[in-house]
Amino acid sequence: MIFSNPAALWLLASLPVLLVIYFLQQRSRVQRVSTLFLLERVMDETRGGARLRYLRSSWPLVLQLLALATIGLFLAQPVYLDTSTRQRVAVVLDESASMEAFRRESIELLRAKGRSISAGAGRTDWQVVGSLRGGKVIYSGENLEELLAAVESEWQPSQPRHDATPVLRSVRASVGSEGHVLFLTCRDDVSLPGVIRISAGRALDNVAISGFRFVGENNDVFRVVLRNLGNTPTVRELQMRVEGLNPTVTKVHLESDGVAEAAFRWPEGEFSRVVLELLPGDALRLDDFLPLVRPERKVLKVALDESLSSRQQRHMIRLLKAVPESAVILDMPKAADVVVRASLSKDNESWLPNSNELVIASETSMKVPSEGQPIVPTTHPLVRHLSFQRLRVIEMVETEIFPEDEALLWSGNRPLAFMRKARGNSQLIFAADPSDPLVDDDASLLLMLLRFFEDIRQRDGGWRAGNFTAGQPLAFGANTGDLLLQILPVGKPERRESASRSFRAPAAPSHWSVFSDGTELLRGTSYFADIAASELRNCLKLDEAFVILNVNLARNYKPIEHGWAVSLTLLVLFLGVWFLQSRV
Amino acid sequence: MLSDSEKTQVRASAAAASRCFSLPFRRRTWRGAAGNWQGVGVGSSLDFQDHRAYVPGDDPRYINWFAYARTGQYTMKLYRSEISPVVDVALDASPSMRLVRAKWLRAVELLCFCMASAGRAGASVRIYLTGTGRAEVFDFDRTVSLDFGKLPVDGTGAGLAGLETVPWRANSLRVLISDLLFPAHVATRTAGAFASTGFTVVLAPWAHEEWEPSWEGLVELCDVESPERRVRKINPELLRRYAASYSGHFEWWRDFVRRRHGVLARVQADKPFVQALRMECPATGALEAVL
């Protein structure tokens, strides 16, 4: 049984006041006596609690107290829960990294609110999801304790600031008009109808590692950027740890809202992993760690097919010299990242790519002049903001473009360049000969080809060793075998897990490596660098759960029938007991 | 301390009472100095006591010469001695005696009456003040002039403090003036007063408001003879039980005094002195009517 108007219970607080008034009215008179020993003989049984006994025998006072208590109880409107009722509650957990600073308090708040919400219906169907779109369901069931255990173990808020609105809308729709949506967050930047927000956040100062950059020819020096997201100046230590070496500590002074930089030299020797830690740590630890590896780009291997003429091969070798970290291989086309070949005819149905390819027109293919038609680039990233007007004089092969192909350049109504994708491979088809002396030195054409090569390199990781933001999407080519991800989180034991060719960098600050068939494809680190999530000064407490409680009170609770009759009976009973006691 | 008018009033009422009543000198025979009262030994009074044969060493003044003339034998004719009685008065001056003014005046009247009655009988009187610690010898004027408010208080609440130190004289008439408002175990202090060589009269002044107090409602009761305090709700039922306890207390005292061959008479303070004496004293033998 609860009270739908508990404020009326404050009336009960007047009972002690009434007693005090009564006591003040009934202050004892002082009487000097010579026969106290005679009185005590007959009052042995009443030695203690004379005032209390006096109250017990003061029937007007007892009546007043009873009347007051009864009035208070019935103004409070006692109601009882209908156990046949059922409610659906979806809990959306904010997965922003800033929630990590309030994780313990947030779970306790969820525990408290969950209990009061559970008490509002006979049964409660819980569903817990994360705020990231497409996130998995953390819990679904009726048991609040199991829900809390699942949240405890699976909710690891470490994502950058993101918009939770899509997930909230989706969940709002799934629970229906009768259900409730509870959003556990630490800010009030999301406000949707039908979404109840609770927050255990509070405004905090925070210092974060906000970025870094490697400088020098061999990336042997790196500079770390710190930011004070607080209202007071502070001094922090930045400690560089390398396994097998003594830590290096640099003191950094940060003004309020200030930015500071600290430079470190990469340790000499065969040290591949470095961890920087900001000391002393603050509430949000994710942005206090910066694991690093020395970045090393992947070498792009380009094979020149035999179909290329010697002139075309020379031209391509010259062009590839402009592509950093690239190598030309002539005899092992299967080991190449990109194959350049020259075989283009009008009928190109059999060109579905088996690898990443750049296909150009062979010297011997039938070409026609472009007839001075303007060359129009599309919005494709490879040709965006480039001008190809010099190609108006080029001779090109008449070829057919399929609906699935992505056009890059048009010469009138004829495709001059387009992209074809199949089996995870990309094929850039250029319906002309780039070594044509008429367009040999065209910068736009050169840039388009360079962009294509870089795109291929990035698709296969792009790096042999690199530092990535937490959750950054990464992908390997279609020809890559099964991937194994070996993760070494900062301060935690190593773990291994399988990964798909498209995966995200681990969320926690960590060193990690990607293996395929025992070969290390990529060595990387994950670091947290989202200033918006590190900003804790706009966090605050929120509690809108009373809306659910009020709705449940109206829906699931019933008033006590014949309440006045019950109270009258109780009153008579009290009076009867008092009367009998006084008679005895 | 009594005012002059009170002293005058007390003396007058005591003198009037002494014309109606006297201490119970006739109740028994006395030993002591020559006086007007029949002694236990041979003396020179007119009361014939015995005849016996003369033995050497007898006082020749008591030889019955008429009998010698008739019989030729020395015969002694003996008369009772006449002596003056000895009176020891102990006045309980504990705070309970002085709580009610009328009761204290009645106690002083009783003391004054004892003085007057003893004076009429030619008795030697000593006054002891008890209830304040050690018993002290006082004379009447000093007693009535004393500022009792400055007397030390025993503080134990036991009552009759110092009574055991009173040097009761042998064969004396002992008068104890006390309200007897103390627990029964304190009665052991009266052992000296009830010694076999004397006769003890206990005169207990009492006030009506002690028996039927006007207490009502929540009352903080402060004992006058101890620091004890009690907060009690007083209702008629409790007062009824209190009155029964009060009566029972004095029944116990009557029995206690009777067992020790003494006499106890309670003297009400709220009535005229002679009328108050008449209520119990003659009937119990505590006082004798003056013939």
Side-chain angles (χ1 to χ4, degrees):
Chain A
M1 185 179 75
I2 64 168
F3 298 100
S4 55
N5 179 27
L9 291 177
W10 281 105
L11 194 62
L12 299 182
S14 61
L15 296 181
V17 176
L18 189 66
L19 277 174
V20 168
I21 292 171
Y22 210 80
F23 268 128
L24 290 176
Q25 283 181 340
Q26 300 293 335
R27 291 181 69 174
S28 58
R29 289 183 295 113
V30 176
Q31 180 75 50
R32 286 165 56 82
V33 297
S34 57
T35 52
L36 188 58
F37 70 102
L38 291 177
L39 261 176
E40 288 193 332
R41 264 185 216 167
V42 298
M43 294 184 67
D44 279 348
E45 76 281 8
T46 64
R47 180 155 294 194
R51 289 182 191 275
L52 190 60
R53 295 182 68 84
Y54 185 44
L55 288 179
R56 284 170 55 187
S57 60
S58 301
W59 61 269
L61 175 64
V62 173
L63 282 179
Q64 287 168 5
L65 292 175
L66 263 179
L68 209 56
T70 309
I71 290 169
L73 286 175
F74 274 88
L75 284 179
Q77 300 172 16
V79 290
Y80 70 93
L81 177 65
D82 181 357
T83 53
S84 65
T85 54
R86 188 168 190 154
Q87 65 176 342
R88 293 186 70 187
V89 181
V91 181
V92 179
L93 303 176
D94 190 347
E95 293 185 304
S96 301
S98 51
M99 289 296 286
E100 179 64 27
F102 312 108
R103 187 170 183 274
R104 175 60 39 207
E105 298 95 319
S106 298
I107 291 177
E108 288 307 314
L109 179 65
L110 182 61
R111 183 189 306 278
K113 296 302 169 189
R115 283 177 179 161
S116 56
I117 291 170
S118 290
R123 290 178 65 185
T124 303
D125 295 325
W126 294 97
Q127 188 182 30
V128 182
V129 296
S131 60
L132 271 184
R133 181 184 283 185
K136 63 177 180 178
V137 174
I138 294 175
Y139 177 77
S140 181
E142 295 184 9
N143 191 313
L144 180 62
E145 293 305 318
E146 289 178 4
L147 178 153
L148 293 167
V151 170
E152 182 82 45
S153 63
E154 295 191 32
W155 180 46
Q156 304 295 339
S158 55
Q159 302 297 329
R161 278 288 287 284
H162 56 275
D163 186 10
T165 308
V167 173
L168 290 170
R169 286 190 197 283
S170 166
V171 168
R172 176 68 267 174
S174 69
V175 296
S177 60
E178 299 289 308
H180 306 292
V181 177
L182 200 64
F183 183 35
L184 181 61
T185 182
C186 63
R187 295 186 175 89
D188 67 344
D189 51 355
V190 175
S191 179
L192 288 175
V195 174
I196 309 302
R197 300 172 301 174
I198 57 173
S199 164
R202 63 185 187 282
L204 290 176
D205 288 353
N206 185 33
V207 176
I209 298 175
S210 61
F212 66 93
R213 59 194 168 98
F214 278 87
V215 293
E217 286 187 2
N218 298 318
N219 291 335
D220 51 354
V221 174
F222 58 97
R223 306 180 75 87
V224 179
V225 182
L226 306 176
R227 183 157 179 186
N228 181 10
L229 300 165
N231 297 324
T232 53
T234 183
V235 176
R236 296 290 176 99
E237 288 183 350
L238 195 56
Q239 184 186 67
M240 182 175 78
R241 293 200 302 267
V242 182
E243 195 172 334
L245 294 180
N246 289 329
T248 307
V249 176
T250 302
K251 277 199 173 181
V252 183
H253 179 84
L254 288 149
E255 296 295 331
S256 62
D257 274 320
V259 176
E261 220 175 50
F264 294 87
R265 180 169 292 281
W266 191 269
E268 294 180 357
E270 293 298 318
F271 299 107
S272 58
R273 289 171 177 167
V274 165
V275 175
L276 285 109
E277 182 179 0
L278 201 55
L279 295 172
D282 41 37
L284 184 59
R285 293 292 282 157
L286 280 174
D287 57 12
D288 292 344
F289 293 101
L290 177 62
L292 288 176
V293 294
R294 198 194 309 230
E296 188 179 332
R297 286 170 65 86
K298 179 183 175 184
V299 175
L300 185 72
K301 288 175 276 188
V302 182
L304 302 180
D305 190 65
E306 293 173 348
S307 58
L308 295 173
S309 67
S310 58
R311 185 171 59 89
Q312 285 175 322
Q313 285 190 1
R314 282 197 306 275
H315 176 264
M316 200 53 64
I317 289 171
R318 187 161 54 90
L319 184 147
L320 285 171
K321 284 182 180 174
V323 179
E325 285 90 31
S326 65
V328 176
I329 55 175
L330 299 171
D331 50 352
M332 288 191 297
K334 286 189 177 178
D337 299 307
V338 185
V339 176
V340 182
R341 63 188 177 95
S343 58
L344 197 62
S345 65
K346 189 176 179 181
D347 180 13
N348 59 7
E349 287 180 5
S350 60
W351 293 349
L352 292 177
N354 291 317
S355 62
N356 297 310
E357 292 178 346
L358 169 63
V359 181
I360 59 175
S362 67
E363 284 187 351
T364 57
S365 58
M366 181 70 72
K367 304 187 186 73
V368 293
S370 58
E371 297 176 348
Q373 293 280 343
I375 306 299
V376 179
T378 64
T379 56
H380 195 280
L382 293 189
V383 294
R384 190 178 296 162
H385 306 309
L386 298 181
S387 171
F388 294 87
Q389 291 311 309
R390 276 195 65 195
L391 301 185
R392 293 170 64 179
V393 294
I394 199 169
E395 290 183 327
M396 54 184 290
V397 177
E398 285 192 14
T399 185
E400 189 178 354
I401 183 170
F402 298 150
E404 298 82 15
D405 294 341
E406 301 168 14
L408 303 180
L409 298 172
W410 291 96
S411 173
N413 57 358
R414 290 182 297 173
L416 175 57
F418 56 93
M419 183 75 78
R420 178 168 294 161
K421 292 182 177 175
R423 306 187 194 104
N425 294 318
S426 295
Q427 191 177 45
L428 175 62
I429 298 162
F430 186 65
D433 182 0
S435 63
D436 185 341
L438 290 175
V439 294
D440 187 13
D441 296 328
D442 186 73
S444 297
L445 181 60
L446 183 61
L447 270 175
M448 183 186 75
L449 296 177
L450 290 181
R451 284 179 180 179
F452 173 68
F453 289 137
E454 279 305 315
D455 186 48
I456 298 298
R457 192 208 306 267
Q458 293 297 328
R459 204 176 306 163
D460 279 352
W463 297 86
R464 192 165 178 279
N467 302 295
F468 305 93
T469 57
Q472 180 176 333
L474 297 167
F476 286 92
N479 297 328
T480 311
D482 294 335
L483 298 180
L484 177 69
L485 194 57
Q486 181 188 40
I487 305 172
L488 183 63
V490 176
K492 292 181 181 172
E494 177 187 305
R495 70 174 193 273
R496 291 164 186 254
E497 56 190 48
S498 60
S500 63
R501 280 192 289 274
S502 295
F503 69 100
R504 288 179 177 273
S510 54
H511 287 93
W512 45 267
S513 295
V514 180
F515 292 90
S516 176
D517 299 329
T519 306
E520 187 182 44
L521 298 181
L522 176 63
R523 188 170 65 249
T525 66
S526 292
Y527 64 93
F528 185 81
D530 182 48
I531 290 299
S534 296
E535 176 62 84
L536 303 180
R537 285 175 293 183
N538 53 3
C539 295
L540 76 171
K541 283 191 187 302
L542 278 174
D543 185 5
E544 299 173 348
F546 64 89
V547 176
I548 299 179
L549 302 181
N550 286 346
V551 168
N552 283 342
L553 195 61
R555 278 187 198 157
N556 304 335
Y557 282 82
K558 293 180 177 176
I560 294 175
E561 293 178 11
H562 311 300
W564 286 106
V566 172
S567 72
L568 196 63
T569 308
L570 282 174
L571 189 60
V572 170
L573 191 64
F574 284 140
L575 289 176
V577 169
W578 167 80
F579 179 74
L580 287 175
Q581 277 186 337
S582 64
R583 298 289 289 180
V584 173
Chain B
M1 189 168 63
L2 301 183
S3 64
D4 290 341
S5 62
E6 284 174 329
K7 287 179 192 174
T8 307
Q9 183 187 347
V10 163
R11 287 175 193 277
S13 59
S18 67
R19 289 193 286 273
C20 302
F21 301 101
S22 73
L23 292 172
F25 294 120
R26 291 200 298 272
R27 186 177 177 94
R28 57 165 294 177
T29 53
W30 303 95
R31 296 176 191 275
N36 301 324
W37 296 90
Q38 195 175 49
V40 294
V42 177
S44 56
S45 71
L46 296 175
D47 292 341
F48 171 76
Q49 184 181 26
D50 198 6
H51 281 105
R52 66 171 173 80
Y54 170 80
V55 293
D58 282 346
D59 188 347
R61 288 179 298 172
Y62 298 112
I63 295 173
N64 188 345
W65 296 108
F66 293 106
Y68 175 73
R70 288 196 301 272
T71 64
Q73 299 290 325
Y74 292 114
T75 304
M76 301 297 289
K77 186 174 183 178
L78 302 178
Y79 295 87
R80 281 186 179 253
S81 62
E82 286 188 337
I83 61 167
S84 293
V86 175
V87 178
D88 290 334
V89 181
L91 174 63
D92 178 8
S94 62
S96 67
M97 287 286 286
R98 289 174 272 132
L99 181 63
V100 180
R101 185 71 178 173
K103 191 169 80 170
W104 178 239
L105 283 175
R106 183 54 32 99
V108 177
E109 276 180 330
L110 286 171
L111 175 66
C112 196
F113 166 79
C114 292
M115 296 286 294
S117 179
R120 281 173 172 269
S124 132
V125 180
R126 278 188 192 170
I127 301 172
Y128 300 96
L129 206 60
T130 70
T132 60
R134 186 169 182 80
E136 290 184 72
V137 179
F138 276 72
D139 58 35
F140 176 74
D141 287 335
R142 189 179 162 208
T143 303
V144 297
S145 303
L146 201 61
D147 184 356
F148 287 94
K150 293 181 179 175
L151 286 177
V153 177
D154 175 40
T156 63
L160 289 183
L163 184 66
E164 65 274 24
T165 64
V166 171
W168 301 105
R169 290 176 289 179
N171 300 312
S172 60
L173 173 65
R174 294 147 189 188
V175 181
L176 174 61
I177 303 172
S178 170
D179 57 4
L180 304 179
L181 291 178
F182 34 80
H185 65 85
V186 181
T188 54
R189 293 184 175 177
T190 63
F194 291 103
S196 59
T197 57
F199 177 68
T200 306
V201 175
V202 181
L203 297 174
W206 63 282
H208 189 269
E209 62 190 85
E210 289 176 344
W211 180 39
E212 287 184 340
S214 58
W215 310 327
E216 189 179 3
L218 200 62
V219 180
E220 184 175 1
L221 300 161
C222 307
D223 191 27
V224 292
E225 300 199 13
S226 71
E228 283 195 59
R229 288 168 174 263
R230 297 282 187 274
V231 178
R232 292 287 182 268
K233 164 69 170 59
I234 308 294
N235 54 29
E237 166 62 18
L238 184 67
L239 284 178
R240 188 185 61 73
R241 283 154 51 194
Y242 165 76
S245 173
Y246 182 85
S247 302
H249 177 72
F250 285 102
E251 286 305 316
W252 183 89
W253 268 106
R254 283 186 203 284
D255 187 56
F256 177 84
V257 173
R258 186 164 52 245
R259 287 169 184 273
R260 284 153 184 76
H261 308 292
V263 173
L264 166 65
R266 300 183 68 211
V267 183
Q268 190 172 352
D270 315 302
K271 293 185 180 296
F273 188 41
V274 175
Q275 185 182 348
L277 291 178
R278 189 173 288 135
M279 290 173 71
E280 262 193 39
C281 295
T284 56
L287 298 181
E288 294 169 344
V290 176
L291 299 175

Coordinates of all heavy atoms in Angstrom, one line a residue, chain A residues 150-183:
Chain A
A150 N 23.7 -7.4 -15.8 CA 24.1 -7.3 -17.2 C 24.6 -6.0 -17.5 O 25.6 -5.8 -18.3 CB 22.8 -7.6 -18.1
V151 N 24.0 -4.9 -17.0 CA 24.5 -3.6 -17.2 C 25.9 -3.4 -16.6 O 26.8 -2.9 -17.2 CB 23.6 -2.6 -16.6 CG1 24.2 -1.2 -16.6 CG2 22.2 -2.5 -17.3
E152 N 26.1 -4.0 -15.4 CA 27.4 -3.9 -14.8 C 28.5 -4.5 -15.6 O 29.6 -4.0 -15.7 CB 27.3 -4.7 -13.4 CG 28.5 -4.6 -12.6 CD 28.6 -3.3 -11.8 OE1 27.6 -2.9 -11.2 OE2 29.7 -2.8 -11.7
S153 N 28.2 -5.6 -16.3 CA 29.2 -6.4 -17.0 C 29.4 -5.9 -18.4 O 30.5 -6.0 -19.0 CB 28.9 -7.9 -17.0 OG 27.7 -8.1 -17.6
E154 N 28.3 -5.4 -19.1 CA 28.4 -5.2 -20.5 C 28.3 -3.7 -20.9 O 28.6 -3.4 -22.0 CB 27.2 -5.9 -21.2 CG 27.3 -7.4 -21.0 CD 26.3 -8.1 -21.9 OE1 26.0 -7.6 -23.0 OE2 25.9 -9.2 -21.5
W155 N 28.0 -2.9 -20.0 CA 27.9 -1.5 -20.4 C 29.3 -0.8 -20.1 O 29.6 -0.6 -19.0 CB 26.8 -0.8 -19.5 CG 26.7 0.7 -19.9 CD1 26.6 1.3 -21.1 CD2 26.5 1.8 -18.9 NE1 26.5 2.6 -21.0 CE2 26.4 3.0 -19.6 CE3 26.5 1.8 -17.5 CZ2 26.3 4.2 -19.0 CZ3 26.3 3.1 -16.9 CH2 26.2 4.2 -17.7
Q156 N 30.0 -0.6 -21.2 CA 31.3 0.1 -21.1 C 31.3 1.3 -21.9 O 31.6 1.4 -23.1 CB 32.4 -0.9 -21.6 CG 32.4 -2.2 -21.0 CD 32.8 -2.2 -19.5 OE1 33.4 -1.2 -19.1 NE2 32.5 -3.2 -18.7
P157 N 30.8 2.4 -21.3 CA 30.7 3.7 -22.1 C 32.0 4.2 -22.5 O 32.8 4.6 -21.7 CB 29.9 4.6 -21.2 CG 30.2 4.1 -19.8 CD 30.4 2.6 -19.9
S158 N 32.3 4.2 -23.8 CA 33.6 4.7 -24.3 C 33.6 5.3 -25.6 O 34.6 5.6 -26.3 CB 34.6 3.5 -24.3 OG 34.1 2.4 -25.1
Q159 N 32.4 5.6 -26.1 CA 32.2 6.1 -27.4 C 32.3 7.6 -27.5 O 32.1 8.3 -26.4 CB 30.8 5.7 -28.0 CG 30.7 4.2 -28.0 CD 31.7 3.5 -28.9 OE1 32.1 4.0 -29.9 NE2 32.1 2.3 -28.5
P160 N 32.6 8.2 -28.6 CA 32.6 9.6 -28.7 C 31.2 10.1 -28.6 O 30.2 9.4 -28.6 CB 33.1 9.9 -30.2 CG 33.7 8.6 -30.6 CD 33.1 7.5 -29.8
R161 N 31.0 11.5 -28.4 CA 29.7 12.0 -28.3 C 28.9 11.7 -29.6 O 29.5 11.8 -30.7 CB 29.8 13.6 -28.2 CG 30.0 14.1 -26.9 CD 28.9 14.0 -25.9 NE 27.8 14.9 -26.1 CZ 27.8 16.2 -25.8 NH1 28.9 16.7 -25.3 NH2 26.7 16.9 -26.0
H162 N 27.7 11.3 -29.4 CA 26.9 10.9 -30.6 C 25.5 11.2 -30.3 O 25.1 11.5 -29.1 CB 27.1 9.4 -30.9 CG 26.8 8.5 -29.7 ND1 27.7 8.2 -28.7 CD2 25.6 7.9 -29.3 CE1 27.1 7.5 -27.8 NE2 25.8 7.3 -28.2
D163 N 24.7 11.2 -31.3 CA 23.3 11.5 -31.2 C 22.5 10.3 -30.9 O 22.4 9.3 -31.7 CB 22.8 12.1 -32.5 CG 21.3 12.6 -32.4 OD1 20.8 12.7 -31.2 OD2 20.7 13.0 -33.4
A164 N 21.9 10.3 -29.7 CA 21.1 9.1 -29.3 C 19.7 9.1 -29.8 O 18.9 8.2 -29.5 CB 21.1 9.0 -27.7
T165 N 19.3 10.2 -30.5 CA 17.9 10.4 -30.9 C 17.4 9.2 -31.7 O 16.3 8.7 -31.4 CB 17.8 11.7 -31.6 OG1 18.3 12.7 -30.8 CG2 16.3 12.0 -31.9
P166 N 18.1 8.7 -32.7 CA 17.6 7.6 -33.5 C 17.2 6.4 -32.7 O 16.2 5.8 -32.9 CB 18.7 7.3 -34.5 CG 19.5 8.6 -34.6 CD 19.4 9.2 -33.2
V167 N 18.1 6.0 -31.8 CA 17.9 4.9 -30.9 C 16.7 5.1 -30.0 O 15.8 4.3 -29.8 CB 19.1 4.5 -30.1 CG1 18.8 3.4 -29.1 CG2 20.2 4.0 -31.0
L168 N 16.6 6.3 -29.5 CA 15.5 6.7 -28.6 C 14.2 6.6 -29.3 O 13.2 6.1 -28.8 CB 15.7 8.0 -27.9 CG 16.8 8.1 -26.9 CD1 17.1 9.6 -26.5 CD2 16.5 7.3 -25.7
R169 N 14.2 7.1 -30.5 CA 12.9 7.1 -31.3 C 12.5 5.7 -31.6 O 11.3 5.3 -31.5 CB 13.1 7.9 -32.6 CG 13.2 9.4 -32.5 CD 13.1 10.0 -33.9 NE 13.5 11.4 -33.9 CZ 12.8 12.4 -33.5 NH1 11.6 12.2 -33.0 NH2 13.3 13.6 -33.5
S170 N 13.5 4.9 -32.0 CA 13.2 3.5 -32.3 C 12.7 2.7 -31.1 O 11.7 2.0 -31.2 CB 14.5 2.8 -32.8 OG 14.4 1.4 -32.8
V171 N 13.3 2.9 -30.0 CA 12.9 2.2 -28.7 C 11.5 2.8 -28.3 O 10.6 2.0 -27.9 CB 13.9 2.5 -27.6 CG1 13.4 2.0 -26.3 CG2 15.2 1.7 -27.9
R172 N 11.3 4.1 -28.5 CA 10.0 4.7 -28.1 C 8.9 4.0 -28.9 O 7.8 3.7 -28.4 CB 10.1 6.2 -28.4 CG 8.8 7.0 -28.2 CD 8.4 7.1 -26.8 NE 7.4 6.1 -26.5 CZ 7.0 5.9 -25.2 NH1 7.4 6.6 -24.2 NH2 6.1 5.0 -25.0
A173 N 9.2 3.7 -30.2 CA 8.2 3.1 -31.1 C 8.0 1.6 -30.7 O 6.9 1.1 -30.7 CB 8.6 3.2 -32.5
S174 N 9.1 1.0 -30.2 CA 8.9 -0.4 -30.0 C 8.2 -0.7 -28.7 O 7.5 -1.8 -28.6 CB 10.3 -1.1 -29.9 OG 11.0 -0.6 -28.7
V175 N 8.3 0.2 -27.7 CA 7.6 -0.1 -26.4 C 6.1 0.2 -26.5 O 5.3 -0.1 -25.6 CB 8.2 0.6 -25.2 CG1 9.6 0.1 -25.0 CG2 8.2 2.1 -25.4
G176 N 5.7 1.0 -27.5 CA 4.3 1.3 -27.6 C 3.9 2.5 -26.7 O 4.7 3.0 -25.9
S177 N 2.7 2.9 -26.9 CA 2.2 4.1 -26.2 C 2.1 3.8 -24.7 O 2.2 4.8 -23.9 CB 0.8 4.5 -26.7 OG -0.1 3.5 -26.6
E178 N 1.9 2.6 -24.3 CA 1.8 2.3 -22.9 C 3.1 2.1 -22.2 O 3.2 2.1 -20.9 CB 0.9 1.0 -22.7 CG -0.5 1.1 -23.2 CD -1.4 2.0 -22.4 OE1 -1.4 1.8 -21.2 OE2 -2.0 2.9 -23.0
G179 N 4.2 1.9 -23.0 CA 5.5 1.6 -22.3 C 6.2 2.9 -22.0 O 5.8 4.0 -22.3
H180 N 7.3 2.7 -21.3 CA 8.1 3.8 -20.8 C 9.5 3.7 -21.4 O 10.0 2.6 -21.5 CB 8.2 3.8 -19.3 CG 6.9 3.8 -18.6 ND1 6.0 4.9 -18.7 CD2 6.3 2.9 -17.8 CE1 5.0 4.6 -17.9 NE2 5.1 3.4 -17.4
V181 N 10.1 4.8 -21.7 CA 11.5 4.8 -22.2 C 12.3 5.6 -21.2 O 12.0 6.8 -20.9 CB 11.7 5.4 -23.6 CG1 13.1 5.5 -24.0 CG2 10.9 4.6 -24.6
L182 N 13.3 5.0 -20.6 CA 14.2 5.6 -19.6 C 15.6 5.8 -20.3 O 16.2 4.8 -20.7 CB 14.3 4.7 -18.4 CG 14.7 5.3 -17.1 CD1 13.7 6.3 -16.6 CD2 14.8 4.2 -16.0
F183 N 16.1 7.0 -20.3 CA 17.4 7.3 -20.9 C 18.3 7.7 -19.8 O 18.2 8.7 -19.1 CB 17.2 8.5 -21.9 CG 18.5 8.8 -22.6 CD1 19.4 7.8 -23.0 CD2 18.7 10.1 -23.0 CE1 20.5 8.2 -23.7 CE2 19.9 10.5 -23.7 CZ 20.8 9.5 -24.0

